[in-house]
Amino acid sequence: MTGAPLTAAALSISALATIVIGFYGIRLSRTTSDFLVASRSIGPQWNAAAVSGEYLSAASFLGVAGLIAKYGADALWYPVGFTAGYLGLLLFVAAPLRRSGAYTVPDFAEFRLGSPRLRKVAMLVVVVVCVFYLVPQYQGAGLALKTLLGLPVWVGPVAVGAIVIVNVVGGGMRSITFVQAFQYWLKLTAIAVPALALLTLVMRDGTDLGGPLPPLIGEQTTVTVETDVVVQVAAPQGISVTGTVNGAPVADAPFTAPGEYTLRAGTTLTLAAGSATPVVAGAPGAGDDWMASGGGLGGSHPTYQVLSIIVATFLGTMGLPHVLVRFYTNPDGRAARRTALAVIALLSLFYLFPTLLGVFARQFVPQLLITGTADAAVLLLPSAAVGGVAGAVLAALVAAGAIAAFLATSSGLLVSIAGALSTDVLRGRVRDFRISALVGGVIPIPLALLASSLELSRSVGLAFAVAASTLCPLLVLGIWWRGLTAAGAAVGLVVGGIASGLATTLAVTGGLDEDLLGGWPAAIVGYPAAVTVPLAFLTMVVVSRVTASTRPAEVAQIFARMHLPERLGMGVERLPRG
């Protein structure tokens, strides 16, 4: 624990700045359009920073480095996919979606296919995707406050939920636009400065980062396992364990031989200086394996895992409601495209630094590889690698960036939930938006406390899989295929949503018993996108073919409105309900 007053102060300042900037935006929020889409007045540069701020979530700030430290080269597909998804958004969705004049994704569904019933289905999918995405944000907040300040794990979700609800209820989209733009630059600073400081340290000392894995412990270290875990012990010398090993109680006993051991929660390992770090079973067991691709992220069928990660991250961005709603805030389609292009540049710059920190983590905090809690690597690295006052300052900066990551993404997700519920369940007034935001912000808190210890990037990757299996097919086919029907879209949303949602629920709640399922079933449940995304697209196409007679009569006019430049005068802004 690094519960220094400096860290607590940095967390408080970051949270306070979020609230203050949010209240500045509240002063400018008056109408329903202000709350839903900031009256479509946000320019590309400002909007790009805001999009990047809300997109760089707990998975990006903490999870990417943790996965790279744990699994090596194959984990790089997460930052690559998170960034490349915006290329698809730029090419296929951004401008036509903005020209539709819609306020929300359900509004687009009704505009494109003329079905109030489809709008209701799309609204439910938006809420489900956002809740799945909110859970790891709240979960990450609990991890951060527990790691940094030793607070109970429930404090993080409650604190983040309260701050986000206040900002969104107070000023909606206009308020959080200012907040998220500020938080992008805060997060970039908070992760770039420690990464560059550690890079300077490593280059000065000539540290060999390509050394053996598991890395050697620099000084005697005691590690307590907080959840049941299976570890791979390559070299048992210098390691003693107290607790429950393979179902039997032991006290200060050595591991008898190399191999896999099941450690129960509460078990304590003492590693002498120079001993080799055990690693979570399924993680690479040698330096060459860690640096090579093709090993996957633990478990069976690694090639399928990587393919599924690529599908989920590349296509999931096009279906994330909190990302899509930001493009409604641009003045026109050209500005939407410029926003997407700028976001690609901002994300590419940011993801350089979690990658560096993931590499450094296996050298300076190898003990995290034992417990599987590698998400804490970014939080612990400055103190472990630098130490002293400089390390404390860097740790405080990281803490400020971490809390900003949770707040920014949670704010965008909550606006999407509130927008969908207020316009499709209630009457669409400002008061309805505020009620919906309050309810939507509270529901994920108990879910975050019940969530398993799945890595943050894995949890968010599953949310991407749900978005890629539902809203992505709806938007891509709705924008580019005239043959889509309301029945085809609705059935595809239901099939893709049930398939991906069930898999995500099993994985996130820990309901996945890999020993029971084994092989392909476990791989598909843990990484569903490669199966559920094609299933959703195929379902929409087949059902639309069968119901071709119900195709909207005005489809040519709708396509002209989405694809022709605004200067031709085809665009008409839709008004929010109520």
Side-chain angles (χ1 to χ4, degrees), residues 413-452:
L413 291 166
L414 193 52
V415 166
S416 294
I417 293 176
L421 292 178
S422 64
T423 56
D424 291 288
V425 177
L426 302 177
R427 295 171 57 187
R429 302 165 298 180
V430 170
R431 180 170 176 266
D432 298 324
F433 180 94
R434 287 171 166 161
I435 293 172
S436 301
L438 178 61
V439 173
V442 170
I443 288 175
I445 293 176
L447 297 178
L449 298 177
L450 293 173
S452 71

Side-chain angles (χ1 to χ4, degrees), residues 184-245:
Y184 169 76
W185 296 108
L186 173 59
K187 284 184 280 191
L188 179 63
T189 302
I191 203 161
V193 171
L196 293 174
L198 265 65
L199 179 61
T200 302
L201 178 67
V202 167
M203 294 178 65
R204 184 195 69 188
D205 295 343
T207 304
D208 181 13
L209 297 176
L213 185 70
L216 303 181
I217 294 293
E219 58 184 28
Q220 181 169 314
T221 303
T222 299
V223 178
T224 300
V225 176
E226 297 185 358
T227 59
D228 295 351
V229 65
V230 179
V231 298
Q232 175 70 40
V233 179
Q237 295 81 10
I239 306 174
S240 61
V241 57
T242 298
T244 305
V245 180

Side-chain angles (χ1 to χ4, degrees), residues 129-497:
V129 171
C130 289
V131 169
F132 273 135
Y133 209 147
L134 265 173
V135 168
Q137 307 314 311
Y138 286 6
Q139 183 185 359
L143 169 69
L145 293 187
K146 180 180 179 182
T147 301
L148 294 168
L149 302 177
L151 296 176
V153 73
W154 60 266
V155 174
V158 171
V160 167
I163 295 171
V164 167
I165 289 171
V166 167
N167 274 347
V168 174
V169 167
M173 178 62 79
R174 188 178 287 280
S175 173
I176 68 164
T177 295
F178 298 111
V179 171
Q180 290 169 340
F182 158 75
Q183 286 171 331
Y184 169 76
W185 296 108
L186 173 59
K187 284 184 280 191
L188 179 63
T189 302
I191 203 161
V193 171
L196 293 174
L198 265 65
L199 179 61
T200 302
L201 178 67
V202 167
M203 294 178 65
R204 184 195 69 188
D205 295 343
T207 304
D208 181 13
L209 297 176
L213 185 70
L216 303 181
I217 294 293
E219 58 184 28
Q220 181 169 314
T221 303
T222 299
V223 178
T224 300
V225 176
E226 297 185 358
T227 59
D228 295 351
V229 65
V230 179
V231 298
Q232 175 70 40
V233 179
Q237 295 81 10
I239 306 174
S240 61
V241 57
T242 298
T244 305
V245 180
N246 293 339
V250 298
D252 198 24
F255 288 113
T256 56
E260 289 190 358
Y261 295 86
T262 301
L263 309 179
R264 295 298 181 190
T267 299
T268 299
L269 288 82
T270 301
L271 297 92
S275 59
T277 309
V279 298
V280 175
D288 290 342
D289 295 334
W290 182 82
M291 290 184 287
S293 61
L297 278 74
S300 56
H301 305 292
T303 302
Y304 169 81
Q305 288 180 1
V306 171
L307 175 63
S308 195
I309 291 169
I310 293 172
V311 172
T313 54
F314 278 50
L315 299 182
T317 305
M318 287 188 276
L320 292 177
H322 67 300
V323 169
L324 296 171
V325 75
R326 292 231 58 97
F327 289 94
Y328 302 141
T329 68
N330 283 121
D332 51 42
R334 182 170 179 267
R337 278 206 175 101
R338 291 175 62 191
T339 296
L341 187 61
V343 169
I344 294 173
L346 293 178
L347 295 183
S348 299
L349 173 63
F350 178 89
Y351 280 123
L352 291 174
F353 303 110
T355 302
L356 279 175
L357 292 177
V359 175
F360 297 148
R362 55 183 289 266
Q363 181 68 34
F364 295 108
V365 284
Q367 64 271 22
L368 295 179
L369 303 177
I370 302 172
T371 61
T373 57
D375 288 325
V378 172
L379 302 172
L380 298 177
L381 258 173
S383 297
V386 179
V389 175
V393 171
L394 291 176
L397 183 61
V398 168
I403 200 70
F406 311 136
L407 292 172
T409 302
S410 299
S411 297
L413 291 166
L414 193 52
V415 166
S416 294
I417 293 176
L421 292 178
S422 64
T423 56
D424 291 288
V425 177
L426 302 177
R427 295 171 57 187
R429 302 165 298 180
V430 170
R431 180 170 176 266
D432 298 324
F433 180 94
R434 287 171 166 161
I435 293 172
S436 301
L438 178 61
V439 173
V442 170
I443 288 175
I445 293 176
L447 297 178
L449 298 177
L450 293 173
S452 71
S453 57
L454 196 67
E455 297 96 338
L456 292 176
S457 284
R458 289 266 323 268
S459 296
V460 168
L462 287 166
F464 270 67
V466 177
S469 304
T470 51
L471 300 180
C472 173
L474 171 67
L475 290 168
V476 171
L477 294 177
I479 290 171
W480 296 100
W481 185 44
R482 294 171 183 253
L484 185 67
T485 65
V491 175
L493 286 174
V494 171
V495 170

